[in-house]
Amino acid sequence: MHTDEQIFKVADKTIDILYSFSDYDYEKNVDVYVTLEKEGKPHDYIAVYTKKAVNSVPAWVHSHIKK
C-alpha cells in the first residue's frame, strides 16, 4: 500500500486541472482518482479534497484518502 502523502503528492498535480473553484461552494468535497504501482501491480485510491478559504483565498485542502 501507499502512504497518504504519496497519494496526495500525485493528486496535487491534477486537482487544479480537474476542478474549478467557481464550480464549488466552500466546505464541499471533490474526489481525485489516483492509480499508483507497487511491485508491478496497480493500486487505485481516491484523494478527497475540501474547498476552504486559506488567508481569504480559495484552496483545495487535503481531507482524506479512500483506499
Side-chain angles (χ1 to χ4, degrees):
M1 298 296 270
H2 295 88
T3 65
D4 289 4
E5 183 178 304
Q6 291 171 313
I7 298 164
F8 275 120
K9 184 175 181 180
V10 172
D12 285 349
K13 295 176 183 177
T14 60
I15 184 72
D16 292 327
I17 296 168
L18 296 172
Y19 298 104
S20 170
F21 290 124
S22 61
D23 293 338
Y24 295 89
D25 294 330
Y26 285 96
E27 300 302 320
K28 295 295 181 182
N29 292 338
V30 296
D31 297 341
V32 176
Y33 295 87
V34 175
T35 300
L36 297 174
E37 283 191 17
K38 187 167 188 172
E39 298 176 2
K41 296 182 181 179
H43 297 273
D44 297 326
Y45 305 98
I46 300 172
V48 181
Y49 291 80
T50 303
K51 180 181 175 183
K52 296 192 178 256
V54 177
N55 296 325
S56 300
V57 176
W60 293 117
V61 178
H62 298 170
S63 177
H64 61 280
I65 300 294
K66 296 178 186 175
K67 297 181 180 182

